[in-house]
Amino acid sequence: MTDCLFCKIVAGEIPSQTVFEDDDFFAFRDISPKADTHLLLIPKKHIVNLDDLQPEDEALMGKMMLTVPKLAKQENLEGYRTITNTGAKGGQEVFHMHFHILGGSELPGF
Ligand code: 5GP
Ligand code: ZN
């Protein structure tokens, strides 16, 4: 998708502090961190949000979930919070699906 901020980050057109990349996923530090460690994990495929998932995305989503603890380990997080906002009313501001991974200090109650 040409006019998507996170697609541009994957393509290297917008710089980011990349922490992980493989064939399917890209992870980078949030520009406005809400915790000591605040990562964004995204699929390289442009998927808008959970509501946009198709049956053929099942394996990709499984792999995405398995990537979360890999990143947490890489960042030495003992505990962490994973959030994905869906839709403007769900707090989503960037419409390319992403998992927030927050940790690094004691997180407040949710
Ligand atoms: P959302 O509100 O859509 O769940 O989260 C979007 C996140 O993207 C926000 O936490 C915001 O700080 C982050 N963000 C927005 N623009 C950029 C950017 O250009 N670079 C990086 N690294 N993060 C961004
Ligand atoms: Zn995109």
Side-chain angles (χ1 to χ4, degrees):
M1 224 216 184
T2 48
D3 200 27
C4 168
L5 176 66
F6 285 177
C7 282
K8 286 180 182 165
I9 284 179
V10 170
E13 292 165 20
I14 292 175
S16 71
Q17 281 188 273
T18 311
V19 297
F20 175 82
E21 180 174 11
D22 68 9
D23 287 347
D24 295 316
F25 301 102
F26 198 83
F28 51 101
R29 297 195 190 282
D30 196 293
I31 205 166
S32 173
K34 313 295 188 300
D36 291 346
T37 299
H38 186 170
L39 306 180
L40 298 172
L41 170 64
I42 67 174
K44 288 184 172 177
K45 177 181 177 185
H46 181 84
I47 296 171
V48 174
N49 56 33
L50 293 180
D51 280 347
D52 187 34
L53 287 172
Q54 304 301 316
E56 62 265 27
D57 297 320
E58 189 174 348
L60 185 75
M61 290 308 290
K63 197 177 166 203
M64 190 166 180
M65 291 309 301
L66 291 171
T67 304
V68 171
K70 244 194 246 179
L71 288 175
K73 194 170 180 191
Q74 181 181 300
E75 293 286 317
N76 295 312
L77 300 179
E78 286 179 26
Y80 52 94
R81 179 172 294 155
T82 308
I83 297 172
T84 186
N85 295 323
T86 301
K89 289 192 173 171
Q92 186 175 9
E93 290 178 355
V94 178
F95 287 83
H96 180 131
M97 188 176 68
H98 49 281
F99 287 177
H100 297 260
I101 300 167
L102 301 138
S105 61
E106 219 172 295
L107 294 171
F110 185 71

